[in-house]
Amino acid sequence: MCRRPQVAIPGKSKSLGGGLGDLGRQCVTVGKLGTKLCWLVMQGSPLWIVMVIKLILFALALAPALASSVHYWCGRVRKNVAYGPGLRHLLDVYEPGGKHLENKPVVVFVTGGAWIIGYKAWAVPLGRALSANGVVVFAPDYRNCPQARIDGMLDDVDRAVGWTFRNARAFGADPRKILLAGQSAGAHLVSLLLLRKAESEYFGGSPTYGWRASDVLGFVGVSGPYHLEATAVQWMARGLNRNIFAWVFGNDLHRHSPADECSRIRELVDDKFATTLLPRICLIHGTADLSAPYVTSELLEARLRLLGADVLPTITYRDWTHTDPILEKPFAGDHAVHADIFDLIYTWQNTTERPAFDITSPDCRRLAPQFLLDIGRACMPF
């Protein structure tokens, strides 16, 4: 087995238990945040409690695959590299094997979690599959509700991407080949961030954290809630109190909805805005998504197109749920979405190099029997 090259890590890898003082402060912080979060969630109807129970059953059914992912994460991933000063300003790096890591393409993957339960370890299936195919994957953590509201989450993602641009070469990656991807809340955050960075640049603003939206190869959004009003209605019908949206986004869901932001920005800019300031974009969605209706991806695509953006037709997967692209399908050995992202990395580089995604890699194998995955999908509350 080849050893990984040793690199000088910019920004120390730090443990969350670095000293009794830090541990104590973290426990107090987690306790306060947990109390606040419980209060917010419990404002919903009893149906929300049913959803929590279904989530627990979902996790139990997927336990074998989750255990395999945890084992991989503990042993094969460079964890908790600091990209900023905060407790959650940490990212994980998935590095391809082999001795010669140089100028590899990059995916910065921002995980979902309803702006509440997001965590960087949700990136394991994607990081595992893409790194086995020669891609360096950076998976940043970011503050969730109630630790931060929308502006704090956006700032964390912005900071993490800027850190990646500055430090990619230390991990054998090429900062000219960075693709941004996000799933669910992560897709929402990245799409909103790109629109706001492009708008700021259009009106003469300096790029925050040293990077521009147009610096990236492109953006792939998976299962994103791009229209928050439609998402709120969907979630309220399933028991969640609208107050949690008000806490995260304030009283203006339209201002924080990428689809609505496209319409607002279109009234302010000329035809060159999107072609010069936005990257290429591809949206991916399952048609059986009960959390973020797939039509919101089609809506965002249409409004981006009106804005003049270079956006591909939305890729839809028939009968796929909200979490199928990142959990159930990869656990079954189906890496269709990962292969889509891999192909876009090379398509958007405009290079003659077009390697095929290797589905036969041991890191792309099935991780759970189908009957357990079927039970999990039946219990899945999202």
Side-chain angles (χ1 to χ4, degrees):
M1 180 176 175
C2 294
R3 278 185 131 179
R4 295 181 183 274
Q6 296 299 309
V7 299
I9 300 176
K12 295 178 181 178
S13 292
K14 63 181 182 181
S15 165
L16 290 181
L20 291 177
D22 282 347
L23 182 59
R25 284 190 292 273
Q26 290 158 26
C27 288
V28 171
T29 299
V30 169
K32 289 180 178 178
L33 295 176
T35 301
K36 177 75 172 178
L37 179 58
C38 287
W39 181 84
L40 285 168
V41 171
M42 294 302 289
Q43 302 305 304
S45 76
L47 183 58
W48 184 247
I49 306 303
V50 174
M51 296 300 171
V52 172
I53 294 172
K54 291 182 71 174
L55 179 61
I56 294 170
L57 294 174
F58 170 75
L60 289 174
L62 268 59
L66 292 171
S68 175
S69 296
V70 169
H71 182 265
Y72 175 92
W73 185 68
C74 289
R76 301 261 305 273
V77 178
R78 195 188 297 272
K79 296 179 290 298
N80 296 333
V81 179
Y83 69 82
L87 280 175
R88 298 199 68 169
H89 290 155
L90 305 170
L91 55 78
D92 294 341
V93 187
Y94 298 77
E95 300 166 280
K99 293 182 179 180
H100 303 292
L101 288 181
E102 188 176 9
N103 296 327
K104 294 293 185 182
V106 177
V107 168
V108 178
F109 182 61
V110 182
T111 56
W115 309 279
I116 300 171
I117 57 171
Y119 187 55
K120 56 190 171 64
W122 303 148
V124 171
L126 178 141
R128 188 174 188 170
L130 289 182
S131 63
N133 279 274
V135 179
V136 183
V137 177
F138 294 83
D141 205 7
Y142 58 91
R143 289 169 293 168
N144 285 195
C145 170
Q147 194 175 13
R149 299 176 191 251
I150 180 64
D151 289 338
M153 298 179 200
L154 289 169
D155 187 74
D156 288 355
V157 174
D158 194 0
R159 181 192 294 268
V161 176
W163 183 97
T164 303
F165 269 103
R166 294 190 303 275
N167 297 290
R169 292 197 186 280
F171 298 89
D174 188 339
R176 298 168 300 178
K177 303 175 183 177
I178 293 179
L179 180 146
L180 302 186
Q183 190 269 341
S184 189
H188 164 267
L189 291 171
V190 177
S191 57
L192 187 60
L193 177 63
L194 290 172
L195 286 167
R196 291 192 176 173
K197 287 181 80 74
E199 181 184 11
S200 174
E201 184 181 353
Y202 182 85
F203 289 106
S206 299
T208 51
Y209 297 108
W211 68 283
R212 297 177 172 84
S214 57
D215 290 337
V216 300
L217 275 179
F219 163 62
V220 179
V222 182
S223 308
Y226 306 115
H227 193 280
L228 293 177
E229 191 64 48
T231 303
V233 170
Q234 193 91 349
W235 287 20
M236 287 167 61
R238 306 175 74 204
L240 185 67
N241 191 290
R242 191 183 177 93
N243 286 343
I244 200 161
F245 280 87
W247 201 95
V248 175
F249 301 107
N251 295 316
D252 191 355
L253 296 186
H254 295 290
R255 179 70 178 87
H256 302 297
S257 295
D260 289 332
E261 280 292 87
C262 286
S263 298
R264 181 187 65 80
I265 292 171
R266 187 179 170 218
E267 300 297 319
L268 305 175
V269 301
D270 59 27
D271 293 340
K272 295 182 180 179
F273 168 80
T275 55
T276 58
L277 301 179
L278 282 176
R280 287 161 287 199
I281 296 168
C282 178
L283 306 176
I284 300 174
H285 223 119
T287 62
D289 192 330
L290 298 179
S291 294
Y294 80 94
V295 292
T296 63
S297 276
E298 296 179 332
L299 175 64
L300 179 59
E301 177 205 329
R303 292 189 179 177
L304 283 167
R305 207 174 293 283
L306 288 173
L307 194 57
D310 184 353
V311 56
L312 292 172
T314 298
I315 299 173
T316 55
Y317 280 89
R318 185 172 178 81
D319 296 328
W320 280 34
T321 68
H322 190 66
T323 56
D324 270 341
I326 60 159
L327 290 177
E328 295 97 306
K329 293 300 183 179
F331 287 166
D334 184 344
H335 294 272
V337 168
H338 299 157
D340 288 337
I341 295 172
F342 181 84
D343 290 343
L344 286 169
I345 290 171
Y346 290 95
T347 299
W348 284 342
Q349 285 183 57
N350 297 319
T351 177
T352 55
E353 181 187 8
R354 295 292 176 88
F357 184 86
D358 183 9
I359 193 66
T360 65
S361 166
D363 286 323
C364 294
R365 70 184 186 280
R366 173 185 285 274
L367 300 180
Q370 191 59 45
F371 81 93
L372 284 179
L373 296 175
D374 290 341
I375 292 172
R377 291 184 87 238
C379 296
M380 202 277 297
F382 305 118

